[in-house]
Amino acid sequence: MKKIEAFLKCVDCGKEYDLSQVRYTCDCGGTLDLTRDLSGVDGEELKNLFDSRWGQKWGATASGVWRYKELIFDIPDEQIVTRMEGNTRLYPAGKAGEYAGLKNFFLKHEGENPTGSFKDRGMTCGTTAAKYYGAKTVACASTGNTSASMASFAAVSGMKSVIFIPEGKIAYGKLAQALAFGGKTLQIKGNFDDAMSLVQDVCRELNIYLLNSINPFRIEGQKAIGFEVLQQFNWEVPDWFVIPGGNLGNNSALSKGLQELYQLGIINKIPRIAVIQAEGSAPLAKMWKNHTPFEPVKDPDTIATAIKIGNPVSWKKSLRGLEWCNGVVESVTEQEIMDAKAFVDMAGIGAEPASCCSVAGAKKLVDMGVIDKDAKVVGILTGNVLKDPDAVIGYHKDELASMGIKGNFANKPLVIDANVAAVKAALEA
Ligand code: F0G
């Protein structure tokens, strides 16, 4: 297969750059895409190559990201930093499907990645690029999952990692991972948006490689979520993807990947994408619904701390993708997120709060008549249930009243005397 050459292209002004130097933004300030000229590429040949790698037991292309390396970052296998990420399961949604009112609902569980979130797909590509450019230290701002992932991939590949997190606002499981994997963890006095702005200055001034999703290589890796879902469906295209939105990199990646498959003729239908934000952190949903210019949210808030973001860096890429696929943006309340989560968890699948925006959003869009109840829908679950145990326990003990959340579907733990009669009473209650 002939190598498909990639280059960087500005989302705003279209200026192109080759890959010889590190670059995150255009001279005009716009964000960059890793782009390739797909004209003359044989989509059928590429699809057969991807299929021939399915189920491979070992080696870089056994990864659920590098299986598609020709469309990700075409680099020799020995230069790839991988934890065999991806290859996550696609579940029938069970009780979560009934809750959403959908008959044909599937959940793609990205929480089954090595560090428990979809970030590993972007990070394998981002750290491979860091190595390619000779970086010794990498950095990111994070609401938790990016930092957990980056710290792990940096450790695996022998680089140092520096993490900027909003003080006291990240879920414990994620902080624990960042510390455990040896990331230099700086809790800054401010929110994620402050951390995001600071890390960009720091990387520029201290010559550290930036691994937030503003880095175009991160987005390339994350495209593989969509590729893998399609391959799991034998390249049959679902009607909808429903995906949470925070910094808006992941849905940008999803639409970019689908667009490439469509251009190559590997798929012949365009699925619609619904991006779901938490009501207290929903700048894109506001813009979309009110037809107003983009305006950051000043003090974003939500129990879904992963997406507590007021000024998402990838909003333009996100919008471009949504326009291409006739997508929609919706927001959901705190109660809707946690009730949907109760059903994702009760289905035996489990995911962290932000992930459950997918199910809360699907339900809302079905109720609104936007998604047909017979449609084939894929919800992306972005993070593992164990990432945020406080949210789980708080809901099931019905202790989230201060956040305006009721334990509507709580499974309360009971304290009982240590005798059979007490157990019998508890089982009958
Ligand atoms: N779900 C989870 C579990 C996340 O961690 C994130 C983002 C998202 C959804 C939203 O994805 O930002 O691409 O729109 N977490 C980032 C982080 C911001 O730092 O871990 P997005």
Side-chain angles (χ1 to χ4, degrees), residues 116-119 140-149 164-166 174 192 196 212-213 218-219 222 243-253 275-277 304-309 312-314 318 352-357 380-384 387:
S117 85
F118 72 96
K119 303 289 180 181
C140 71
S142 181
T143 56
N145 280 325
T146 300
S147 56
S149 181
F164 295 77
I165 50 170
K174 306 174 188 180
F192 171 82
M196 187 65 231
N212 276 101
S213 57
R218 280 271 319 275
I219 299 288
Q222 285 169 210
I243 182 168
N247 218 9
L248 301 176
N250 208 24
N251 71 85
S252 304
V275 175
I276 313 297
Q277 298 203 287
T305 51
I307 52 171
K308 191 164 156 177
I309 296 174
V313 295
S314 294
S318 174
E352 69 163 287
S355 305
C356 300
C357 284
I380 310 291
L381 297 180
T382 45
N384 193 283
K387 288 276 190 174

Side-chain angles (χ1 to χ4, degrees), residues 11 50 206 359-360 362 396 429:
V11 172
F50 298 159
L206 305 184
V359 174
H396 288 289

Side-chain angles (χ1 to χ4, degrees), residues 83 115-120 122-123 127 138-156 159-166 169-187 192 195-196 199 211-213 218 222 247 305-306 352 387:
R83 282 200 60 193
T115 75
S117 85
F118 72 96
K119 303 289 180 181
D120 294 341
M123 212 46 81
T127 42
V138 291
C140 71
S142 181
T143 56
N145 280 325
T146 300
S147 56
S149 181
M150 185 185 76
S152 165
F153 279 82
V156 163
M159 292 186 289
K160 288 196 183 118
S161 61
V162 188
I163 290 160
F164 295 77
I165 50 170
K169 290 171 190 158
I170 83 166
Y172 246 49
K174 306 174 188 180
L175 179 60
Q177 287 178 295
L179 298 174
F181 294 137
K184 180 96 183 162
T185 304
L186 308 174
Q187 298 191 268
F192 171 82
M196 187 65 231
V199 75
L211 276 177
N212 276 101
S213 57
R218 280 271 319 275
Q222 285 169 210
N247 218 9
T305 51
E352 69 163 287
K387 288 276 190 174

